[in-house]
Amino acid sequence: MPIDVASARGPAGRNNRPSPGRPGLSETVEVSLTFDDNRLASLVFGQYDQNVAHIERRLGITGTALGNHLVVKGTPEAAEKARRVFERLYARVQKGGTTLTLGDVDGVIQEVTVQGNLFPSAEIVADNGREQFEQIATRKRGGVRARNAAQSEYIKLLRANELVFAEGPAGTGKTWLAVGHAVSLLEQGHAERLILSRPAVEAGERLGFLPGDMREKVDPYLRPIYDALYDFMEARHVDRGLQTGIIEIAPLAFMRGRTLTNAVVLLDEAQNTTSMQMKMFLTRLGENSRMIITGDPSQIDLPPGQKSGLVEAVNVLDGVEGIGRVRFRDVDVVRHDLVRRIVTAYESASHGEAEADRNPNPRRRPLA
């Protein structure tokens, strides 16, 4: 736990509040933190203090790290938020002892921000150890905590519902968290099989006939799911599961006529299913099974005029008991800052085109 937490006001020693005659001057405070363990403090600060620099940009503060000591300067609200972020990061490395990624840092910032919106500041100070976001635990990775409110809601829905739809742009963790949840259910004995499926639709390309048996033909389409599997399970366990049928690769076209019991079934890239395929897939759900359906409606690769089964299903099944739905936005992208900006730019461009379509002949201004 951090110790020796002190706060100092700006110059003049009188809370340094804005003066009526000087409207541009804002209050600045200084918060000093000292951590018990130098090694853990260095994990919190990051290599070459990159985590400190990242928090500076995110929260609009300045931070100076030296050994196990940190001085934060900024507005009272920003400095207090930064203090809670650094304390929470220190508690996390104390528990896990592993290097923090920038995604982990962003997750803690989001967690502290949400907590600040839910609780009065006095309660936050007294309850800064409270874990706000949900987590998934597997044997290989231990606890993996949600990095934003949308991911936390996603994990809650996965636990509470037999069927969950997750829509949103690339990089929001839809597939990765779904695989993690499925692996945790498998390891806890709540499911006997993990069935992975994905429509074999190329992203604007024509690859022709692929060589090999069924699994070799489908493998290129399921590579993102394999990557997630190897993240959450040891490689030998994945290979053994594939050999014994505990983990099954099932092309969407081969699902017809099956009843999937005691299984976790994941359909990825569901925006590329047709209406008939989606209805067929949904009706495969058997006793003691769970279904997770993920997709990005903005990346439909179906032929022009073909309706997406995912888009239709979420509308038809809206409000049906036992079905959960989470929609991720561009601000929920956790893959990379640049990915978030790319998605936002495309979203803005698509909205601009839609507005132009609605007003093909905008009214000109009258001549002066």
Side-chain angles (χ1 to χ4, degrees), residues 177-218:
L177 288 174
V179 172
H181 178 70
V183 170
S184 69
L185 292 179
L186 203 63
E187 291 179 345
Q188 294 166 18
H190 297 311
E192 297 175 357
R193 291 181 298 162
L194 172 55
I195 300 173
L196 310 172
S197 188
R198 184 175 179 174
V201 177
E202 295 93 349
E205 301 176 80
R206 292 294 177 266
L207 303 181
F209 293 102
L210 296 174
D213 58 20
M214 183 183 70
R215 179 179 161 189
E216 290 171 333
K217 290 177 186 292
V218 179

Side-chain angles (χ1 to χ4, degrees), residues 73-319:
K73 295 180 182 179
T75 64
E77 182 182 357
E80 172 61 19
K81 186 181 292 186
R83 180 186 69 79
R84 288 188 279 119
V85 167
F86 281 110
E87 288 184 344
R88 178 105 16 130
L89 289 172
Y90 186 79
R92 184 169 293 190
V93 295
Q94 265 188 321
K95 194 177 298 182
T98 57
T99 303
L100 296 167
T101 66
L102 293 181
D104 294 328
V105 176
D106 276 333
V108 171
I109 292 173
Q110 288 268 359
E111 196 171 57
V112 167
T113 301
V114 169
Q115 199 174 40
N117 293 335
L118 293 176
F119 302 101
S121 57
E123 292 182 22
I124 295 171
V125 174
D127 192 31
N128 59 29
R130 178 185 178 123
E131 299 292 359
Q132 186 63 36
F133 289 163
E134 299 291 326
Q135 71 172 11
I136 291 171
T138 61
R139 291 171 191 164
K140 178 182 178 181
R141 290 193 66 99
V144 175
R145 192 165 300 284
R147 291 182 176 178
N148 52 50
Q151 286 192 350
S152 185
E153 179 64 20
Y154 185 27
I155 296 173
K156 287 181 182 177
L157 290 174
L158 289 173
R159 290 174 179 160
N161 296 278
E162 295 172 311
L163 172 60
V164 174
F165 289 98
E167 307 163 77
T172 50
K174 305 183 302 295
T175 302
W176 196 75
L177 288 174
V179 172
H181 178 70
V183 170
S184 69
L185 292 179
L186 203 63
E187 291 179 345
Q188 294 166 18
H190 297 311
E192 297 175 357
R193 291 181 298 162
L194 172 55
I195 300 173
L196 310 172
S197 188
R198 184 175 179 174
V201 177
E202 295 93 349
E205 301 176 80
R206 292 294 177 266
L207 303 181
F209 293 102
L210 296 174
D213 58 20
M214 183 183 70
R215 179 179 161 189
E216 290 171 333
K217 290 177 186 292
V218 179
D219 271 1
Y221 298 101
L222 292 169
R223 182 49 50 189
I225 299 179
Y226 278 121
D227 292 342
L229 271 176
Y230 286 111
D231 269 349
F232 286 103
M233 297 178 72
E234 299 289 345
R236 66 180 188 277
H237 294 155
V238 175
D239 296 338
R240 187 185 308 154
L242 290 169
Q243 291 170 4
T244 59
I246 292 176
I247 301 174
E248 181 183 347
I249 308 300
L252 185 58
F254 286 38
M255 299 288 283
R256 187 177 298 278
R258 300 185 62 182
T259 300
L260 307 173
T261 59
N262 301 314
V264 185
V265 190
L266 170 60
L267 176 61
D268 193 32
E269 297 291 339
Q271 76 274 5
N272 289 327
T273 60
T274 65
S275 298
M276 183 170 27
Q277 286 175 329
M278 178 60 75
K279 183 179 178 182
M280 177 272 294
F281 181 80
L282 291 171
T283 53
R284 301 307 96 202
L285 187 65
E287 290 185 5
N288 194 35
S289 287
R290 300 260 174 153
M291 266 189 183
I292 310 168
I293 299 174
T294 65
D296 179 4
S298 70
Q299 295 190 22
I300 298 174
D301 299 311
L302 293 170
Q306 182 80 60
K307 184 184 293 185
S308 167
L310 174 64
V311 174
E312 181 183 55
V314 294
N315 291 327
V316 170
L317 301 176
D318 186 33

